Amino acid sequence: MKFRYYLPTRIEFGVGALARVGEEARKLGKRALIVIGKGGSMRRTGALERVMGSLHERGVEAVVFDKIQPNPIAPAVDEGAKLAREEGCDLVVGLGGGSPLDSAKCIAFMARSPGRYWDYVQSGSGGRKTPKEALPIITIPTTAGTGTEADPFAVITNPETKEKIGIGFDLIFPKVSLVDPQLMLTVPQDQTVYTGMDAFYHALESYLNLNHQPASDLLALEAIRLITKYLPRAYRDGGDLEARTELAWASTAAGICETLSGCIGLHSMEHPVSGHYPEIPHGAGLIALGPAFLEHILPHAHARLAQVAQAMGEEPKGLSLEEAAQLAISALCSLQAKIGLGSINLRSLGVKEEVIPRLAEDALATMGSLLAVTPGNLSKDDLTKIYRRALDYNKRA
Protein backbone atom coordinates (compact mmCIF):
# COMPACT_ATOMS: atom_id res chain seq x y z
CA MET A 1 0.00 0.00 0.00
CA LYS A 2 1.26 3.46 -0.93
CA PHE A 3 -0.43 6.82 -0.43
CA ARG A 4 0.22 10.49 0.30
CA TYR A 5 -1.41 12.53 3.05
CA TYR A 6 -0.94 16.29 2.95
CA LEU A 7 -3.42 18.79 4.38
CA PRO A 8 -1.78 22.02 5.57
CA THR A 9 -5.06 23.87 6.22
CA ARG A 10 -6.08 24.52 9.82
CA ILE A 11 -9.82 23.99 10.17
CA GLU A 12 -11.78 25.72 12.94
CA PHE A 13 -15.18 24.00 13.05
CA GLY A 14 -18.31 24.79 15.03
CA VAL A 15 -21.00 27.33 15.83
CA GLY A 16 -19.34 30.70 16.38
CA ALA A 17 -16.21 29.96 14.34
CA LEU A 18 -16.85 33.04 12.19
CA ALA A 19 -15.95 35.29 15.13
CA ARG A 20 -12.31 34.19 14.80
CA VAL A 21 -11.80 35.76 11.38
CA GLY A 22 -10.28 38.99 12.69
CA GLU A 23 -7.86 37.16 14.98
CA GLU A 24 -6.80 34.78 12.21
CA ALA A 25 -6.51 37.49 9.56
CA ARG A 26 -4.29 39.66 11.77
CA LYS A 27 -1.72 36.86 11.81
CA LEU A 28 -1.58 36.91 8.01
CA GLY A 29 -1.77 40.57 6.99
CA LYS A 30 -3.17 44.04 7.50
CA ARG A 31 -5.40 44.60 4.46
CA ALA A 32 -7.83 41.95 3.23
CA LEU A 33 -9.71 41.52 0.00
CA ILE A 34 -13.08 39.95 0.86
CA VAL A 35 -14.48 37.96 -2.06
CA ILE A 36 -18.25 37.37 -2.11
CA GLY A 37 -20.94 36.51 -4.65
CA LYS A 38 -22.78 39.12 -6.68
CA GLY A 39 -26.23 38.06 -5.48
CA GLY A 40 -26.08 40.08 -2.27
CA SER A 41 -26.89 37.26 0.17
CA MET A 42 -23.80 37.94 2.31
CA ARG A 43 -25.04 41.48 2.88
CA ARG A 44 -28.67 40.48 3.45
CA THR A 45 -27.81 37.85 6.05
CA GLY A 46 -25.35 40.11 7.85
CA ALA A 47 -22.44 37.73 7.31
CA LEU A 48 -20.35 40.34 5.49
CA GLU A 49 -20.98 42.92 8.22
CA ARG A 50 -19.88 40.43 10.87
CA VAL A 51 -16.69 39.60 8.99
CA MET A 52 -15.82 43.25 8.44
CA GLY A 53 -16.56 44.04 12.07
CA SER A 54 -14.28 41.27 13.29
CA LEU A 55 -11.51 42.42 10.97
CA HIS A 56 -11.89 46.02 12.10
CA GLU A 57 -11.67 45.02 15.76
CA ARG A 58 -8.26 43.48 15.05
CA GLY A 59 -7.00 46.38 12.99
CA VAL A 60 -7.33 44.72 9.59
CA GLU A 61 -8.63 46.93 6.78
CA ALA A 62 -10.94 45.41 4.19
CA VAL A 63 -11.89 45.86 0.54
CA VAL A 64 -14.91 44.00 -0.86
CA PHE A 65 -15.00 42.37 -4.29
CA ASP A 66 -18.58 41.29 -5.03
CA LYS A 67 -18.66 40.30 -8.70
CA ILE A 68 -18.56 36.49 -8.46
CA GLN A 69 -21.40 34.65 -10.17
CA PRO A 70 -22.50 31.01 -9.75
CA ASN A 71 -20.24 28.88 -11.96
CA PRO A 72 -17.58 31.64 -11.71
CA ILE A 73 -15.75 32.90 -14.79
CA ALA A 74 -12.12 33.72 -15.52
CA PRO A 75 -12.55 37.46 -16.27
CA ALA A 76 -13.90 38.00 -12.74
CA VAL A 77 -10.78 36.36 -11.30
CA ASP A 78 -8.58 38.70 -13.32
CA GLU A 79 -10.65 41.70 -12.20
CA GLY A 80 -10.45 40.66 -8.55
CA ALA A 81 -6.69 40.15 -8.73
CA LYS A 82 -6.28 43.60 -10.28
CA LEU A 83 -8.26 45.14 -7.43
CA ALA A 84 -6.17 43.28 -4.85
CA ARG A 85 -2.96 44.66 -6.38
CA GLU A 86 -4.30 48.20 -6.70
CA GLU A 87 -5.54 48.20 -3.09
CA GLY A 88 -2.34 46.70 -1.67
CA CYS A 89 -4.14 43.72 -0.15
CA ASP A 90 -1.90 41.18 1.56
CA LEU A 91 -4.48 38.44 2.23
CA VAL A 92 -7.74 37.18 0.73
CA VAL A 93 -10.89 36.16 2.60
CA GLY A 94 -13.41 34.05 0.69
CA LEU A 95 -16.93 34.25 2.12
CA GLY A 96 -19.88 32.33 0.69
CA GLY A 97 -20.48 29.17 -1.30
CA GLY A 98 -18.07 27.34 -3.55
CA SER A 99 -18.03 30.00 -6.26
CA PRO A 100 -16.63 32.89 -4.18
CA LEU A 101 -14.32 30.55 -2.25
CA ASP A 102 -12.85 29.03 -5.43
CA SER A 103 -12.55 32.51 -6.92
CA ALA A 104 -10.80 33.77 -3.79
CA LYS A 105 -8.18 31.04 -4.17
CA CYS A 106 -7.53 31.96 -7.78
CA ILE A 107 -7.48 35.70 -7.05
CA ALA A 108 -4.91 35.01 -4.32
CA PHE A 109 -2.34 33.60 -6.72
CA MET A 110 -3.21 35.88 -9.62
CA ALA A 111 -2.56 38.90 -7.38
CA ARG A 112 1.07 37.75 -7.37
CA SER A 113 1.28 36.38 -10.93
CA PRO A 114 1.69 37.96 -14.38
CA GLY A 115 -0.73 37.48 -17.23
CA ARG A 116 -4.31 36.24 -17.12
CA TYR A 117 -5.88 33.50 -15.04
CA TRP A 118 -6.44 31.19 -18.01
CA ASP A 119 -2.67 31.14 -18.59
CA TYR A 120 -2.43 28.92 -15.49
CA VAL A 121 -5.07 26.34 -16.38
CA GLN A 122 -3.42 22.97 -16.96
CA SER A 123 -5.69 21.40 -19.60
CA GLY A 124 -7.93 22.29 -22.53
CA SER A 125 -7.05 25.69 -23.97
CA GLY A 126 -5.22 26.74 -20.79
CA GLY A 127 -1.67 28.09 -20.92
CA ARG A 128 -0.28 25.48 -18.47
CA LYS A 129 1.88 27.95 -16.54
CA THR A 130 2.63 27.31 -12.86
CA PRO A 131 2.11 30.06 -10.26
CA LYS A 132 5.04 30.70 -7.94
CA GLU A 133 3.33 32.40 -4.98
CA ALA A 134 -0.04 33.44 -3.61
CA LEU A 135 -1.50 35.70 -0.96
CA PRO A 136 -2.58 33.82 2.18
CA ILE A 137 -6.21 32.68 2.09
CA ILE A 138 -8.95 32.37 4.70
CA THR A 139 -12.12 30.58 3.61
CA ILE A 140 -15.51 30.85 5.31
CA PRO A 141 -18.06 28.53 3.66
CA THR A 142 -21.73 29.39 4.00
CA THR A 143 -22.97 26.25 2.21
CA ALA A 144 -22.31 22.57 2.88
CA GLY A 145 -21.24 21.39 -0.53
CA THR A 146 -17.94 22.02 -2.24
CA GLY A 147 -15.51 21.21 0.55
CA THR A 148 -13.14 23.71 -1.03
CA GLU A 149 -12.22 24.90 2.45
CA ALA A 150 -10.21 21.67 2.81
CA ASP A 151 -8.59 21.24 -0.58
CA PRO A 152 -6.14 22.90 -3.02
CA PHE A 153 -8.60 23.02 -5.93
CA ALA A 154 -10.77 25.57 -7.70
CA VAL A 155 -13.10 25.36 -10.70
CA ILE A 156 -13.50 28.31 -13.08
CA THR A 157 -15.18 28.63 -16.49
CA ASN A 158 -13.83 30.31 -19.61
CA PRO A 159 -16.99 31.95 -21.04
CA GLU A 160 -15.44 32.30 -24.48
CA THR A 161 -14.71 28.58 -24.95
CA LYS A 162 -17.32 27.25 -22.45
CA GLU A 163 -14.58 25.19 -20.80
CA LYS A 164 -15.16 24.59 -17.08
CA ILE A 165 -11.88 23.28 -15.69
CA GLY A 166 -10.52 22.56 -12.25
CA ILE A 167 -7.02 23.54 -11.18
CA GLY A 168 -4.99 22.32 -8.23
CA PHE A 169 -1.91 23.94 -6.67
CA ASP A 170 -0.62 23.41 -3.15
CA LEU A 171 -0.13 27.17 -2.72
CA ILE A 172 -3.90 27.73 -2.77
CA PHE A 173 -4.63 25.53 0.21
CA PRO A 174 -6.34 27.94 2.63
CA LYS A 175 -4.19 28.87 5.60
CA VAL A 176 -7.28 28.75 7.82
CA SER A 177 -10.86 27.66 7.19
CA LEU A 178 -13.64 28.75 9.53
CA VAL A 179 -16.59 26.37 9.21
CA ASP A 180 -19.55 27.81 11.12
CA PRO A 181 -22.78 25.80 10.63
CA GLN A 182 -24.84 28.73 11.89
CA LEU A 183 -24.06 30.56 8.65
CA MET A 184 -25.87 27.80 6.75
CA LEU A 185 -29.27 28.18 8.46
CA THR A 186 -30.44 30.71 5.86
CA VAL A 187 -29.40 28.73 2.76
CA PRO A 188 -32.48 28.29 0.49
CA GLN A 189 -33.97 24.84 0.06
CA ASP A 190 -32.82 24.34 -3.54
CA GLN A 191 -29.27 25.41 -2.78
CA THR A 192 -29.26 23.17 0.29
CA VAL A 193 -29.97 20.06 -1.74
CA TYR A 194 -27.74 20.94 -4.70
CA THR A 195 -24.75 21.61 -2.47
CA GLY A 196 -25.51 18.66 -0.22
CA MET A 197 -25.50 16.28 -3.16
CA ASP A 198 -22.29 17.85 -4.47
CA ALA A 199 -20.68 16.86 -1.16
CA PHE A 200 -22.24 13.39 -1.43
CA TYR A 201 -20.72 12.83 -4.86
CA HIS A 202 -17.32 14.13 -3.73
CA ALA A 203 -17.30 11.46 -1.04
CA LEU A 204 -18.68 8.74 -3.31
CA GLU A 205 -16.25 9.46 -6.12
CA SER A 206 -13.22 9.53 -3.84
CA TYR A 207 -14.31 6.16 -2.41
CA LEU A 208 -14.54 4.70 -5.93
CA ASN A 209 -11.33 6.38 -7.12
CA LEU A 210 -8.64 3.88 -8.12
CA ASN A 211 -6.26 5.90 -5.92
CA HIS A 212 -8.39 5.65 -2.78
CA GLN A 213 -6.53 5.40 0.51
CA PRO A 214 -7.36 4.46 4.14
CA ALA A 215 -8.02 7.95 5.51
CA SER A 216 -10.22 9.04 2.62
CA ASP A 217 -12.12 5.72 2.72
CA LEU A 218 -13.08 6.31 6.37
CA LEU A 219 -14.11 9.93 5.79
CA ALA A 220 -15.96 9.15 2.55
CA LEU A 221 -18.20 6.51 4.13
CA GLU A 222 -18.84 8.81 7.09
CA ALA A 223 -19.82 11.68 4.80
CA ILE A 224 -22.10 9.40 2.76
CA ARG A 225 -23.78 8.17 5.96
CA LEU A 226 -24.29 11.68 7.34
CA ILE A 227 -25.65 13.17 4.12
CA THR A 228 -28.06 10.27 3.63
CA LYS A 229 -29.41 10.84 7.15
CA TYR A 230 -29.34 14.61 7.53
CA LEU A 231 -29.88 16.11 4.07
CA PRO A 232 -33.59 15.15 4.03
CA ARG A 233 -33.90 16.79 7.48
CA ALA A 234 -32.31 20.04 6.30
CA TYR A 235 -34.51 19.90 3.20
CA ARG A 236 -37.62 19.73 5.39
CA ASP A 237 -36.40 22.28 7.96
CA GLY A 238 -33.60 24.65 7.01
CA GLY A 239 -33.40 25.88 10.60
CA ASP A 240 -32.44 22.44 11.96
CA LEU A 241 -29.05 23.35 13.45
CA GLU A 242 -28.13 19.74 14.22
CA ALA A 243 -28.71 18.74 10.60
CA ARG A 244 -26.80 21.79 9.36
CA THR A 245 -23.88 20.97 11.65
CA GLU A 246 -23.67 17.34 10.53
CA LEU A 247 -23.90 18.37 6.88
CA ALA A 248 -21.22 21.02 7.36
CA TRP A 249 -18.87 18.37 8.73
CA ALA A 250 -19.82 15.94 5.95
CA SER A 251 -18.97 18.58 3.35
CA THR A 252 -15.61 19.36 4.94
CA ALA A 253 -14.86 15.64 5.31
CA ALA A 254 -15.70 15.14 1.63
CA GLY A 255 -13.38 18.05 0.80
CA ILE A 256 -10.58 16.28 2.65
CA CYS A 257 -11.41 13.20 0.57
CA GLU A 258 -10.95 15.29 -2.57
CA THR A 259 -7.51 16.29 -1.32
CA LEU A 260 -6.45 12.75 -0.43
CA SER A 261 -7.99 10.74 -3.27
CA GLY A 262 -9.93 13.00 -5.62
CA CYS A 263 -13.02 12.77 -7.79
CA ILE A 264 -13.54 10.54 -10.81
CA GLY A 265 -15.28 10.73 -14.17
CA LEU A 266 -18.65 11.94 -12.92
CA HIS A 267 -17.16 15.36 -12.22
CA SER A 268 -15.38 15.24 -15.59
CA MET A 269 -18.78 14.75 -17.19
CA GLU A 270 -20.67 17.39 -15.21
CA HIS A 271 -18.24 20.26 -15.78
CA PRO A 272 -19.03 20.48 -19.52
CA VAL A 273 -22.75 20.44 -18.71
CA SER A 274 -22.64 23.54 -16.49
CA GLY A 275 -19.90 24.98 -18.69
CA HIS A 276 -22.20 24.98 -21.71
CA TYR A 277 -25.30 25.70 -19.62
CA PRO A 278 -24.08 28.05 -16.85
CA GLU A 279 -27.61 28.44 -15.50
CA ILE A 280 -27.48 24.79 -14.35
CA PRO A 281 -26.23 24.47 -10.76
CA HIS A 282 -23.26 22.13 -10.50
CA GLY A 283 -25.09 19.94 -7.98
CA ALA A 284 -28.11 19.63 -10.27
CA GLY A 285 -25.88 18.39 -13.09
CA LEU A 286 -24.34 15.78 -10.81
CA ILE A 287 -27.76 14.61 -9.65
CA ALA A 288 -28.95 14.23 -13.25
CA LEU A 289 -25.86 12.25 -14.26
CA GLY A 290 -25.14 10.26 -11.09
CA PRO A 291 -27.40 7.19 -11.31
CA ALA A 292 -26.71 6.62 -15.02
CA PHE A 293 -22.97 6.99 -14.39
CA LEU A 294 -23.02 4.47 -11.55
CA GLU A 295 -25.04 1.97 -13.58
CA HIS A 296 -22.41 2.13 -16.31
CA ILE A 297 -19.41 1.54 -14.04
CA LEU A 298 -21.18 -0.92 -11.70
CA PRO A 299 -19.53 -4.06 -13.18
CA HIS A 300 -16.13 -2.59 -12.27
CA ALA A 301 -17.02 -1.46 -8.74
CA HIS A 302 -19.18 -4.17 -7.15
CA ALA A 303 -17.33 -4.44 -3.84
CA ARG A 304 -17.03 -0.71 -3.25
CA LEU A 305 -20.63 0.08 -4.19
CA ALA A 306 -21.81 -2.67 -1.85
CA GLN A 307 -20.00 -0.83 0.97
CA VAL A 308 -21.65 2.42 -0.12
CA ALA A 309 -25.05 0.73 0.11
CA GLN A 310 -24.34 -0.25 3.72
CA ALA A 311 -23.23 3.31 4.55
CA MET A 312 -26.57 4.50 3.18
CA GLY A 313 -28.43 2.18 5.54
CA GLU A 314 -29.12 -0.72 3.21
CA GLU A 315 -28.76 -4.31 4.43
CA PRO A 316 -27.30 -6.55 1.71
CA LYS A 317 -27.54 -9.87 3.64
CA GLY A 318 -28.26 -12.83 1.39
CA LEU A 319 -27.56 -10.87 -1.79
CA SER A 320 -24.85 -11.44 -4.35
CA LEU A 321 -22.11 -8.83 -4.58
CA GLU A 322 -23.66 -7.45 -7.76
CA GLU A 323 -27.10 -7.23 -6.15
CA ALA A 324 -25.60 -5.49 -3.11
CA ALA A 325 -23.88 -2.99 -5.40
CA GLN A 326 -27.16 -2.27 -7.18
CA LEU A 327 -28.64 -1.42 -3.78
CA ALA A 328 -26.36 1.62 -3.70
CA ILE A 329 -27.95 2.97 -6.89
CA SER A 330 -31.45 2.30 -5.56
CA ALA A 331 -30.54 4.05 -2.29
CA LEU A 332 -29.18 7.01 -4.25
CA CYS A 333 -32.39 7.33 -6.27
CA SER A 334 -34.36 7.11 -3.02
CA LEU A 335 -32.27 9.86 -1.41
CA GLN A 336 -32.70 12.14 -4.42
CA ALA A 337 -36.45 11.53 -4.34
CA LYS A 338 -36.62 12.42 -0.62
CA ILE A 339 -35.12 15.84 -1.36
CA GLY A 340 -37.49 16.61 -4.23
CA LEU A 341 -35.13 15.68 -7.07
CA GLY A 342 -36.37 12.24 -8.04
CA SER A 343 -37.45 13.26 -11.54
CA ILE A 344 -34.39 15.27 -12.52
CA ASN A 345 -32.52 14.33 -15.72
CA LEU A 346 -30.45 16.17 -18.30
CA ARG A 347 -33.40 16.96 -20.54
CA SER A 348 -35.36 18.46 -17.65
CA LEU A 349 -32.37 20.76 -17.06
CA GLY A 350 -32.50 21.97 -20.65
CA VAL A 351 -29.62 19.96 -22.14
CA LYS A 352 -30.07 19.31 -25.85
CA GLU A 353 -29.33 15.91 -27.34
CA GLU A 354 -27.31 17.40 -30.18
CA VAL A 355 -24.81 18.85 -27.68
CA ILE A 356 -23.86 15.42 -26.27
CA PRO A 357 -20.93 14.75 -28.66
CA ARG A 358 -19.39 18.09 -27.68
CA LEU A 359 -19.92 17.36 -23.98
CA ALA A 360 -18.09 14.04 -24.33
CA GLU A 361 -15.23 15.71 -26.20
CA ASP A 362 -14.92 18.41 -23.54
CA ALA A 363 -14.99 15.89 -20.69
CA LEU A 364 -12.00 14.13 -22.23
CA ALA A 365 -10.09 17.28 -23.19
CA THR A 366 -10.60 19.32 -20.02
CA MET A 367 -10.85 16.78 -17.18
CA GLY A 368 -9.46 13.60 -18.71
CA SER A 369 -7.18 13.00 -15.73
CA LEU A 370 -10.22 12.07 -13.63
CA LEU A 371 -11.31 9.51 -16.21
CA ALA A 372 -7.95 7.77 -15.81
CA VAL A 373 -8.72 6.98 -12.15
CA THR A 374 -12.30 5.83 -12.80
CA PRO A 375 -13.20 2.12 -12.61
CA GLY A 376 -13.85 0.86 -16.10
CA ASN A 377 -11.37 2.91 -18.15
CA LEU A 378 -14.06 5.10 -19.74
CA SER A 379 -13.75 6.02 -23.42
CA LYS A 380 -15.46 8.75 -25.40
CA ASP A 381 -18.01 6.17 -26.50
CA ASP A 382 -18.71 5.30 -22.85
CA LEU A 383 -19.19 8.95 -21.98
CA THR A 384 -21.60 9.41 -24.87
CA LYS A 385 -23.64 6.40 -23.72
CA ILE A 386 -23.85 7.76 -20.17
CA TYR A 387 -24.91 11.21 -21.34
CA ARG A 388 -27.61 9.69 -23.53
CA ARG A 389 -28.85 7.47 -20.69
CA ALA A 390 -28.95 10.47 -18.34
CA LEU A 391 -30.82 12.58 -20.86
CA ASP A 392 -34.17 10.87 -20.12
CA TYR A 393 -33.24 8.90 -17.01
CA ASN A 394 -36.42 7.94 -15.12
CA LYS A 395 -35.47 5.10 -12.78
CA ARG A 396 -37.12 5.36 -9.38
CA ALA A 397 -36.11 3.74 -6.11
Side-chain angles (χ1 to χ4, degrees):
M1 181 187 301
K2 291 183 178 180
F3 63 86
R4 179 177 299 157
Y5 189 114
Y6 180 63
L7 184 64
T9 299
R10 181 158 57 83
I11 297 170
E12 299 283 349
F13 184 98
V15 171
L18 174 66
R20 296 182 57 88
V21 63
E23 177 183 348
E24 299 298 340
R26 190 65 184 85
K27 300 172 186 176
L28 301 173
K30 297 180 179 180
R31 189 168 177 81
L33 180 75
I34 304 175
V35 180
I36 62 174
K38 65 190 301 183
S41 62
M42 292 303 98
R43 288 188 169 92
R44 289 193 301 273
T45 61
L48 177 61
E49 182 180 2
R50 291 171 61 193
V51 168
M52 295 187 72
S54 180
L55 293 174
H56 179 73
E57 287 176 4
R58 294 288 179 161
V60 179
E61 298 177 344
V63 178
V64 177
F65 181 68
D66 60 358
K67 298 185 179 181
I68 304 302
Q69 65 183 51
N71 288 318
I73 58 175
V77 171
D78 292 329
E79 185 178 352
K82 182 173 181 286
L83 179 63
R85 290 191 296 268
E86 290 174 347
E87 293 288 341
C89 297
D90 51 9
L91 74 147
V92 178
V93 177
L95 173 66
S99 295
L101 268 58
D102 278 10
S103 299
K105 290 177 171 182
C106 297
I107 288 169
F109 80 77
M110 283 308 302
R112 292 285 182 89
S113 304
R116 300 180 306 150
Y117 168 77
W118 210 253
D119 297 335
Y120 297 85
V121 173
Q122 301 296 303
S123 63
S125 65
R128 293 169 172 77
K129 292 183 178 180
T130 301
K132 304 300 183 185
E133 56 181 326
L135 299 177
I137 305 158
I138 296 175
T139 57
I140 308 172
T142 62
T143 63
T146 69
T148 193
E149 68 271 11
D151 69 40
F153 306 119
V155 180
I156 305 293
T157 297
N158 182 333
E160 296 178 0
T161 63
K162 299 184 179 180
E163 294 169 292
K164 182 179 179 181
I165 303 178
I167 62 162
F169 302 113
D170 283 353
L171 52 71
I172 61 171
F173 267 113
K175 296 295 184 184
V176 182
S177 289
L178 306 174
V179 185
D180 189 336
Q182 202 163 36
L183 293 172
M184 302 169 189
L185 293 173
T186 57
V187 176
Q189 189 178 59
D190 59 346
Q191 195 175 8
T192 295
V193 294
Y194 292 148
T195 56
M197 289 308 297
D198 187 18
F200 180 94
Y201 281 113
H202 290 157
L204 175 63
E205 290 180 63
S206 77
Y207 190 69
L208 298 177
N209 192 304
L210 298 179
N211 291 331
H212 63 85
Q213 57 139 294
S216 61
D217 282 354
L218 291 169
L219 290 172
L221 292 177
E222 174 72 348
I224 288 168
R225 182 186 69 81
L226 291 173
I227 294 167
T228 301
K229 180 178 180 179
Y230 288 102
L231 186 57
R233 276 180 52 173
Y235 169 71
R236 292 191 299 268
D237 178 9
D240 185 336
L241 183 57
E242 180 186 8
R244 293 292 192 183
T245 299
E246 298 293 350
L247 290 172
W249 163 234
S251 177
T252 298
I256 296 171
C257 291
E258 289 184 271
T259 294
L260 301 181
S261 295
C263 292
I264 58 174
L266 179 58
H267 266 69
S268 299
M269 295 187 68
E270 196 293 318
H271 283 183
V273 171
S274 48
H276 283 264
Y277 299 90
E279 70 281 4
I280 296 177
H282 173 56
L286 292 172
I287 292 162
L289 286 164
F293 177 86
L294 291 180
E295 284 183 352
H296 191 89
I297 70 167
L298 184 142
H300 309 282
H302 284 159
R304 294 240 136 199
L305 283 174
Q307 291 296 315
V308 169
Q310 286 189 300
M312 296 185 74
E314 300 295 329
E315 184 49 69
K317 282 185 179 179
L319 299 180
S320 68
L321 196 59
E322 179 179 358
E323 290 170 333
Q326 288 174 337
L327 273 182
I329 302 174
S330 297
L332 173 62
C333 291
S334 176
L335 173 60
Q336 294 184 171
K338 288 177 183 177
I339 57 175
L341 299 172
S343 61
I344 195 169
N345 56 37
L346 289 183
R347 195 181 298 278
S348 72
L349 293 176
V351 176
K352 304 297 184 183
E353 187 168 3
E354 56 266 27
V355 181
I356 286 178
R358 174 66 187 276
L359 297 179
E361 291 173 2
D362 283 1
L364 280 168
T366 63
M367 301 287 282
S369 61
L370 300 189
L371 297 172
V373 293
T374 301
N377 191 27
L378 301 182
S379 65
K380 181 180 175 181
D381 183 57
D382 291 316
L383 300 181
T384 301
K385 289 178 180 177
I386 297 169
Y387 279 125
R388 292 195 186 283
R389 177 179 288 187
L391 193 66
D392 294 300
Y393 194 89
N394 63 3
K395 181 175 179 179
R396 298 291 178 270

